[in-house]
Amino acid sequence: MNPLLRFMLIAGSLYLVWLFGYEHYLAIDGRLDAALTQNIAMAGAAVLRLVGFDAVVSPEQANLILLSNTPAVKVGYYCDGLVLYALFTGFVLAFPGPIRYKLWFIPMGLILIYSINILRVAALCLNHIYWHQTVDFNHHFTFTFIVYGFIFLLWIWWATRLAPRVPINSAPHVHA
């Protein structure tokens, strides 16, 4: 089968599984997103405490980080990283490569994406407190570019270092 067609069929199938599984069940239920937003908020506050800031999660809102008792960042469902985890995993699964590499690369990539998302949330907290006028821009552009750029680099790593290369002369030839 043509590698591009194979990729498109697998990616399309995974998208349909995501669409029906997430959009029609998990998102409506809300528990997975709620757990992830709370976890990201707790981890972001922990990172801030680790570097010396007075950061806690609000006792009233488990997804709101307080920095010096001032609301700093509320982690919303679209910022919990779930879509990014699915996007990354779907790409690696759809792209050719040995399953033994996928079995370690996907969890490692998910941990790295999770970690960069926590750092992003912690940085947004500091941004909110110290440079409030730039929060909207940084949230929507700077940090989005950094996170998606990081995921793109993971994909490049997969595609160029771990997935098998097909020699040019082994591709099927079409004669007219």
Side-chain angles (χ1 to χ4, degrees), residues 134-167:
T134 64
V135 169
D136 193 51
F137 179 84
N138 286 330
H139 177 256
H140 290 101
F141 299 104
T142 307
F143 292 119
T144 300
F145 176 77
I146 290 169
V147 171
Y148 279 94
F150 181 76
I151 294 169
F152 180 72
L153 290 175
L154 285 173
W155 287 341
I156 294 296
W157 182 14
W158 174 260
T160 62
R161 301 282 183 216
L162 299 171
R165 290 194 181 85
V166 177

mmCIF file of all heavy atoms in Angstrom, residues 134-167:
data_model
loop_
_atom_site.group_PDB
_atom_site.id
_atom_site.type_symbol
_atom_site.label_atom_id
_atom_site.label_comp_id
_atom_site.label_asym_id
_atom_site.label_seq_id
_atom_site.Cartn_x
_atom_site.Cartn_y
_atom_site.Cartn_z
ATOM 1 N N THR A 134 0.889 41.559 28.978
ATOM 2 C CA THR A 134 1.294 40.665 27.888
ATOM 3 C C THR A 134 0.694 39.267 27.989
ATOM 4 O O THR A 134 0.981 38.419 27.152
ATOM 5 C CB THR A 134 2.834 40.543 27.840
ATOM 6 O OG1 THR A 134 3.286 39.918 29.042
ATOM 7 C CG2 THR A 134 3.502 41.912 27.669
ATOM 8 N N VAL A 135 -0.136 39.023 28.990
ATOM 9 C CA VAL A 135 -0.668 37.669 29.215
ATOM 10 C C VAL A 135 -1.466 37.169 28.015
ATOM 11 O O VAL A 135 -1.263 36.049 27.555
ATOM 12 C CB VAL A 135 -1.525 37.602 30.497
ATOM 13 C CG1 VAL A 135 -2.295 36.292 30.577
ATOM 14 C CG2 VAL A 135 -0.673 37.784 31.718
ATOM 15 N N ASP A 136 -2.378 37.962 27.519
ATOM 16 C CA ASP A 136 -3.239 37.514 26.422
ATOM 17 C C ASP A 136 -2.401 37.128 25.202
ATOM 18 O O ASP A 136 -2.601 36.071 24.606
ATOM 19 C CB ASP A 136 -4.256 38.594 26.073
ATOM 20 C CG ASP A 136 -5.347 38.061 25.169
ATOM 21 O OD1 ASP A 136 -5.938 37.015 25.507
ATOM 22 O OD2 ASP A 136 -5.593 38.686 24.112
ATOM 23 N N PHE A 137 -1.454 37.979 24.842
ATOM 24 C CA PHE A 137 -0.596 37.689 23.687
ATOM 25 C C PHE A 137 0.225 36.425 23.931
ATOM 26 O O PHE A 137 0.280 35.540 23.071
ATOM 27 C CB PHE A 137 0.338 38.870 23.389
ATOM 28 C CG PHE A 137 1.242 38.610 22.222
ATOM 29 C CD1 PHE A 137 0.812 38.834 20.931
ATOM 30 C CD2 PHE A 137 2.534 38.109 22.420
ATOM 31 C CE1 PHE A 137 1.632 38.574 19.849
ATOM 32 C CE2 PHE A 137 3.364 37.845 21.345
ATOM 33 C CZ PHE A 137 2.921 38.077 20.059
ATOM 34 N N ASN A 138 0.862 36.356 25.087
ATOM 35 C CA ASN A 138 1.712 35.189 25.373
ATOM 36 C C ASN A 138 0.907 33.904 25.453
ATOM 37 O O ASN A 138 1.363 32.862 24.985
ATOM 38 C CB ASN A 138 2.512 35.410 26.651
ATOM 39 C CG ASN A 138 3.633 36.393 26.446
ATOM 40 O OD1 ASN A 138 4.179 36.515 25.359
ATOM 41 N ND2 ASN A 138 3.971 37.125 27.480
ATOM 42 N N HIS A 139 -0.278 33.953 26.034
ATOM 43 C CA HIS A 139 -1.112 32.754 26.131
ATOM 44 C C HIS A 139 -1.522 32.258 24.757
ATOM 45 O O HIS A 139 -1.456 31.067 24.460
ATOM 46 C CB HIS A 139 -2.351 33.030 26.995
ATOM 47 C CG HIS A 139 -3.285 31.881 27.074
ATOM 48 N ND1 HIS A 139 -4.470 31.851 26.371
ATOM 49 C CD2 HIS A 139 -3.217 30.700 27.748
ATOM 50 C CE1 HIS A 139 -5.085 30.705 26.622
ATOM 51 N NE2 HIS A 139 -4.358 29.988 27.453
ATOM 52 N N HIS A 140 -1.964 33.169 23.910
ATOM 53 C CA HIS A 140 -2.494 32.769 22.608
ATOM 54 C C HIS A 140 -1.438 32.569 21.534
ATOM 55 O O HIS A 140 -1.679 31.825 20.580
ATOM 56 C CB HIS A 140 -3.536 33.780 22.126
ATOM 57 C CG HIS A 140 -4.790 33.730 22.928
ATOM 58 N ND1 HIS A 140 -5.080 34.637 23.907
ATOM 59 C CD2 HIS A 140 -5.803 32.840 22.926
ATOM 60 C CE1 HIS A 140 -6.227 34.323 24.466
ATOM 61 N NE2 HIS A 140 -6.690 33.239 23.894
ATOM 62 N N PHE A 141 -0.291 33.210 21.657
ATOM 63 C CA PHE A 141 0.692 33.127 20.582
ATOM 64 C C PHE A 141 2.028 32.547 21.039
ATOM 65 O O PHE A 141 2.447 31.509 20.534
ATOM 66 C CB PHE A 141 0.892 34.501 19.931
ATOM 67 C CG PHE A 141 -0.350 35.035 19.314
ATOM 68 C CD1 PHE A 141 -1.069 36.038 19.928
ATOM 69 C CD2 PHE A 141 -0.842 34.507 18.131
ATOM 70 C CE1 PHE A 141 -2.245 36.519 19.373
ATOM 71 C CE2 PHE A 141 -2.018 34.986 17.564
ATOM 72 C CZ PHE A 141 -2.713 35.991 18.192
ATOM 73 N N THR A 142 2.698 33.197 21.967
ATOM 74 C CA THR A 142 4.045 32.776 22.356
ATOM 75 C C THR A 142 4.075 31.343 22.860
ATOM 76 O O THR A 142 4.815 30.508 22.345
ATOM 77 C CB THR A 142 4.619 33.723 23.432
ATOM 78 O OG1 THR A 142 4.520 35.067 22.961
ATOM 79 C CG2 THR A 142 6.053 33.372 23.750
ATOM 80 N N PHE A 143 3.263 31.051 23.874
ATOM 81 C CA PHE A 143 3.312 29.717 24.462
ATOM 82 C C PHE A 143 2.698 28.670 23.541
ATOM 83 O O PHE A 143 3.140 27.522 23.535
ATOM 84 C CB PHE A 143 2.655 29.704 25.842
ATOM 85 C CG PHE A 143 3.445 30.490 26.851
ATOM 86 C CD1 PHE A 143 2.898 31.583 27.486
ATOM 87 C CD2 PHE A 143 4.749 30.136 27.159
ATOM 88 C CE1 PHE A 143 3.624 32.305 28.417
ATOM 89 C CE2 PHE A 143 5.493 30.851 28.089
ATOM 90 C CZ PHE A 143 4.936 31.939 28.713
ATOM 91 N N THR A 144 1.727 29.056 22.743
ATOM 92 C CA THR A 144 1.169 28.126 21.761
ATOM 93 C C THR A 144 2.236 27.743 20.745
ATOM 94 O O THR A 144 2.405 26.566 20.416
ATOM 95 C CB THR A 144 -0.056 28.745 21.065
ATOM 96 O OG1 THR A 144 -1.038 29.022 22.057
ATOM 97 C CG2 THR A 144 -0.624 27.819 20.009
ATOM 98 N N PHE A 145 2.976 28.738 20.271
ATOM 99 C CA PHE A 145 4.055 28.482 19.320
ATOM 100 C C PHE A 145 5.112 27.569 19.937
ATOM 101 O O PHE A 145 5.582 26.624 19.291
ATOM 102 C CB PHE A 145 4.692 29.810 18.876
ATOM 103 C CG PHE A 145 5.863 29.629 17.965
ATOM 104 C CD1 PHE A 145 5.686 29.317 16.627
ATOM 105 C CD2 PHE A 145 7.161 29.754 18.443
ATOM 106 C CE1 PHE A 145 6.771 29.133 15.782
ATOM 107 C CE2 PHE A 145 8.253 29.571 17.614
ATOM 108 C CZ PHE A 145 8.053 29.271 16.279
ATOM 109 N N ILE A 146 5.472 27.824 21.185
ATOM 110 C CA ILE A 146 6.490 27.010 21.849
ATOM 111 C C ILE A 146 6.024 25.565 22.006
ATOM 112 O O ILE A 146 6.752 24.623 21.674
ATOM 113 C CB ILE A 146 6.873 27.624 23.217
ATOM 114 C CG1 ILE A 146 7.644 28.924 23.004
ATOM 115 C CG2 ILE A 146 7.687 26.641 24.063
ATOM 116 C CD1 ILE A 146 7.851 29.745 24.272
ATOM 117 N N VAL A 147 4.808 25.368 22.498
ATOM 118 C CA VAL A 147 4.308 24.004 22.727
ATOM 119 C C VAL A 147 4.136 23.254 21.411
ATOM 120 O O VAL A 147 4.592 22.115 21.274
ATOM 121 C CB VAL A 147 2.998 24.025 23.546
ATOM 122 C CG1 VAL A 147 2.364 22.650 23.594
ATOM 123 C CG2 VAL A 147 3.258 24.540 24.954
ATOM 124 N N TYR A 148 3.496 23.864 20.423
ATOM 125 C CA TYR A 148 3.317 23.184 19.141
ATOM 126 C C TYR A 148 4.656 22.985 18.437
ATOM 127 O O TYR A 148 4.862 21.970 17.766
ATOM 128 C CB TYR A 148 2.326 23.925 18.245
ATOM 129 C CG TYR A 148 0.894 23.619 18.600
ATOM 130 C CD1 TYR A 148 0.181 24.426 19.474
ATOM 131 C CD2 TYR A 148 0.261 22.506 18.072
ATOM 132 C CE1 TYR A 148 -1.125 24.142 19.811
ATOM 133 C CE2 TYR A 148 -1.056 22.203 18.392
ATOM 134 C CZ TYR A 148 -1.741 23.036 19.262
ATOM 135 O OH TYR A 148 -3.030 22.741 19.596
ATOM 136 N N GLY A 149 5.559 23.944 18.579
ATOM 137 C CA GLY A 149 6.901 23.785 18.021
ATOM 138 C C GLY A 149 7.622 22.604 18.649
ATOM 139 O O GLY A 149 8.305 21.835 17.957
ATOM 140 N N PHE A 150 7.477 22.435 19.951
ATOM 141 C CA PHE A 150 8.084 21.313 20.648
ATOM 142 C C PHE A 150 7.516 19.989 20.140
ATOM 143 O O PHE A 150 8.265 19.037 19.874
ATOM 144 C CB PHE A 150 7.869 21.456 22.155
ATOM 145 C CG PHE A 150 8.491 20.359 22.961
ATOM 146 C CD1 PHE A 150 9.859 20.335 23.188
ATOM 147 C CD2 PHE A 150 7.711 19.342 23.475
ATOM 148 C CE1 PHE A 150 10.440 19.317 23.915
ATOM 149 C CE2 PHE A 150 8.287 18.318 24.214
ATOM 150 C CZ PHE A 150 9.657 18.304 24.427
ATOM 151 N N ILE A 151 6.206 19.922 19.984
ATOM 152 C CA ILE A 151 5.575 18.704 19.471
ATOM 153 C C ILE A 151 6.036 18.431 18.040
ATOM 154 O O ILE A 151 6.323 17.289 17.679
ATOM 155 C CB ILE A 151 4.039 18.795 19.558
ATOM 156 C CG1 ILE A 151 3.616 18.836 21.029
ATOM 157 C CG2 ILE A 151 3.367 17.639 18.821
ATOM 158 C CD1 ILE A 151 2.167 19.174 21.250
ATOM 159 N N PHE A 152 6.158 19.476 17.250
ATOM 160 C CA PHE A 152 6.655 19.320 15.881
ATOM 161 C C PHE A 152 8.074 18.743 15.893
ATOM 162 O O PHE A 152 8.392 17.852 15.097
ATOM 163 C CB PHE A 152 6.621 20.664 15.148
ATOM 164 C CG PHE A 152 7.121 20.593 13.744
ATOM 165 C CD1 PHE A 152 6.377 19.970 12.756
ATOM 166 C CD2 PHE A 152 8.349 21.143 13.400
ATOM 167 C CE1 PHE A 152 6.839 19.894 11.449
ATOM 168 C CE2 PHE A 152 8.823 21.075 12.103
ATOM 169 C CZ PHE A 152 8.072 20.449 11.130
ATOM 170 N N LEU A 153 8.922 19.210 16.811
ATOM 171 C CA LEU A 153 10.284 18.670 16.915
ATOM 172 C C LEU A 153 10.273 17.199 17.325
ATOM 173 O O LEU A 153 11.096 16.410 16.840
ATOM 174 C CB LEU A 153 11.117 19.500 17.892
ATOM 175 C CG LEU A 153 11.481 20.904 17.414
ATOM 176 C CD1 LEU A 153 12.200 21.670 18.516
ATOM 177 C CD2 LEU A 153 12.305 20.854 16.145
ATOM 178 N N LEU A 154 9.355 16.820 18.199
ATOM 179 C CA LEU A 154 9.212 15.402 18.541
ATOM 180 C C LEU A 154 8.832 14.589 17.304
ATOM 181 O O LEU A 154 9.354 13.493 17.086
ATOM 182 C CB LEU A 154 8.170 15.202 19.643
ATOM 183 C CG LEU A 154 8.563 15.583 21.062
ATOM 184 C CD1 LEU A 154 7.362 15.481 21.992
ATOM 185 C CD2 LEU A 154 9.706 14.720 21.572
ATOM 186 N N TRP A 155 7.915 15.114 16.507
ATOM 187 C CA TRP A 155 7.515 14.417 15.284
ATOM 188 C C TRP A 155 8.685 14.298 14.312
ATOM 189 O O TRP A 155 8.877 13.258 13.683
ATOM 190 C CB TRP A 155 6.370 15.142 14.598
ATOM 191 C CG TRP A 155 5.051 15.026 15.277
ATOM 192 C CD1 TRP A 155 4.665 14.091 16.204
ATOM 193 C CD2 TRP A 155 3.929 15.858 15.070
ATOM 194 N NE1 TRP A 155 3.373 14.311 16.588
ATOM 195 C CE2 TRP A 155 2.894 15.384 15.911
ATOM 196 C CE3 TRP A 155 3.678 16.958 14.280
ATOM 197 C CZ2 TRP A 155 1.643 15.986 15.955
ATOM 198 C CZ3 TRP A 155 2.431 17.553 14.318
ATOM 199 C CH2 TRP A 155 1.433 17.072 15.149
ATOM 200 N N ILE A 156 9.456 15.371 14.192
ATOM 201 C CA ILE A 156 10.629 15.335 13.315
ATOM 202 C C ILE A 156 11.611 14.280 13.809
ATOM 203 O O ILE A 156 12.177 13.531 13.021
ATOM 204 C CB ILE A 156 11.302 16.725 13.241
ATOM 205 C CG1 ILE A 156 10.380 17.731 12.550
ATOM 206 C CG2 ILE A 156 12.658 16.666 12.545
ATOM 207 C CD1 ILE A 156 10.079 17.409 11.105
ATOM 208 N N TRP A 157 11.804 14.240 15.124
ATOM 209 C CA TRP A 157 12.685 13.222 15.709
ATOM 210 C C TRP A 157 12.181 11.834 15.324
ATOM 211 O O TRP A 157 12.950 10.976 14.912
ATOM 212 C CB TRP A 157 12.747 13.404 17.216
ATOM 213 C CG TRP A 157 13.652 12.454 17.952
ATOM 214 C CD1 TRP A 157 14.622 11.637 17.433
ATOM 215 C CD2 TRP A 157 13.658 12.226 19.357
ATOM 216 N NE1 TRP A 157 15.218 10.925 18.434
ATOM 217 C CE2 TRP A 157 14.664 11.262 19.623
ATOM 218 C CE3 TRP A 157 12.932 12.733 20.422
ATOM 219 C CZ2 TRP A 157 14.929 10.807 20.902
ATOM 220 C CZ3 TRP A 157 13.208 12.280 21.699
ATOM 221 C CH2 TRP A 157 14.195 11.336 21.934
ATOM 222 N N TRP A 158 10.865 11.622 15.468
ATOM 223 C CA TRP A 158 10.297 10.320 15.118
ATOM 224 C C TRP A 158 10.524 10.022 13.641
ATOM 225 O O TRP A 158 11.004 8.944 13.278
ATOM 226 C CB TRP A 158 8.805 10.265 15.448
ATOM 227 C CG TRP A 158 8.192 8.992 14.953
ATOM 228 C CD1 TRP A 158 7.458 8.815 13.820
ATOM 229 C CD2 TRP A 158 8.342 7.694 15.529
ATOM 230 N NE1 TRP A 158 7.124 7.497 13.670
ATOM 231 C CE2 TRP A 158 7.656 6.780 14.716
ATOM 232 C CE3 TRP A 158 8.977 7.219 16.674
ATOM 233 C CZ2 TRP A 158 7.577 5.435 14.990
ATOM 234 C CZ3 TRP A 158 8.903 5.868 16.957
ATOM 235 C CH2 TRP A 158 8.213 4.991 16.115
ATOM 236 N N ALA A 159 10.165 10.959 12.783
ATOM 237 C CA ALA A 159 10.186 10.721 11.340
ATOM 238 C C ALA A 159 11.600 10.577 10.782
ATOM 239 O O ALA A 159 11.808 9.824 9.828
ATOM 240 C CB ALA A 159 9.459 11.856 10.621
ATOM 241 N N THR A 160 12.576 11.262 11.386
ATOM 242 C CA THR A 160 13.924 11.232 10.815
ATOM 243 C C THR A 160 14.869 10.281 11.529
ATOM 244 O O THR A 160 15.857 9.856 10.946
ATOM 245 C CB THR A 160 14.542 12.638 10.813
ATOM 246 O OG1 THR A 160 14.647 13.106 12.168
ATOM 247 C CG2 THR A 160 13.730 13.598 9.970
ATOM 248 N N ARG A 161 14.608 9.956 12.768
ATOM 249 C CA ARG A 161 15.556 9.134 13.523
ATOM 250 C C ARG A 161 15.050 7.738 13.869
ATOM 251 O O ARG A 161 15.839 6.823 14.017
ATOM 252 C CB ARG A 161 15.935 9.838 14.826
ATOM 253 C CG ARG A 161 16.552 11.186 14.652
ATOM 254 C CD ARG A 161 17.989 11.039 14.239
ATOM 255 N NE ARG A 161 18.590 12.361 14.153
ATOM 256 C CZ ARG A 161 19.475 12.692 13.252
ATOM 257 N NH1 ARG A 161 19.877 11.824 12.378
ATOM 258 N NH2 ARG A 161 19.966 13.898 13.227
ATOM 259 N N LEU A 162 13.755 7.586 14.043
ATOM 260 C CA LEU A 162 13.242 6.315 14.548
ATOM 261 C C LEU A 162 12.411 5.533 13.540
ATOM 262 O O LEU A 162 12.373 4.312 13.590
ATOM 263 C CB LEU A 162 12.433 6.556 15.824
ATOM 264 C CG LEU A 162 13.246 7.175 16.970
ATOM 265 C CD1 LEU A 162 12.335 7.587 18.105
ATOM 266 C CD2 LEU A 162 14.312 6.227 17.457
ATOM 267 N N ALA A 163 11.697 6.230 12.679
ATOM 268 C CA ALA A 163 10.882 5.541 11.674
ATOM 269 C C ALA A 163 11.805 5.029 10.571
ATOM 270 O O ALA A 163 12.839 5.629 10.287
ATOM 271 C CB ALA A 163 9.839 6.493 11.103
ATOM 272 N N PRO A 164 11.457 3.913 9.953
ATOM 273 C CA PRO A 164 12.328 3.360 8.901
ATOM 274 C C PRO A 164 12.334 4.253 7.671
ATOM 275 O O PRO A 164 11.343 4.900 7.356
ATOM 276 C CB PRO A 164 11.685 2.008 8.598
ATOM 277 C CG PRO A 164 10.248 2.179 8.954
ATOM 278 C CD PRO A 164 10.237 3.146 10.119
ATOM 279 N N ARG A 165 13.452 4.270 7.029
ATOM 280 C CA ARG A 165 13.563 5.015 5.775
ATOM 281 C C ARG A 165 13.386 4.037 4.620
ATOM 282 O O ARG A 165 13.930 2.940 4.628
ATOM 283 C CB ARG A 165 14.919 5.689 5.684
ATOM 284 C CG ARG A 165 15.053 6.825 6.662
ATOM 285 C CD ARG A 165 16.271 7.662 6.298
ATOM 286 N NE ARG A 165 16.425 8.741 7.234
ATOM 287 C CZ ARG A 165 17.057 8.643 8.395
ATOM 288 N NH1 ARG A 165 17.602 7.517 8.758
ATOM 289 N NH2 ARG A 165 17.152 9.687 9.193
ATOM 290 N N VAL A 166 12.629 4.468 3.641
ATOM 291 C CA VAL A 166 12.437 3.658 2.436
ATOM 292 C C VAL A 166 13.387 4.197 1.382
ATOM 293 O O VAL A 166 13.297 5.375 1.025
ATOM 294 C CB VAL A 166 10.976 3.740 1.941
ATOM 295 C CG1 VAL A 166 10.805 2.964 0.655
ATOM 296 C CG2 VAL A 166 10.024 3.272 3.021
ATOM 297 N N PRO A 167 14.314 3.380 0.911
ATOM 298 C CA PRO A 167 15.232 3.863 -0.130
ATOM 299 C C PRO A 167 14.458 4.297 -1.358
ATOM 300 O O PRO A 167 13.453 3.700 -1.734
ATOM 301 C CB PRO A 167 16.121 2.647 -0.443
ATOM 302 C CG PRO A 167 15.942 1.730 0.732
ATOM 303 C CD PRO A 167 14.589 2.014 1.311
#
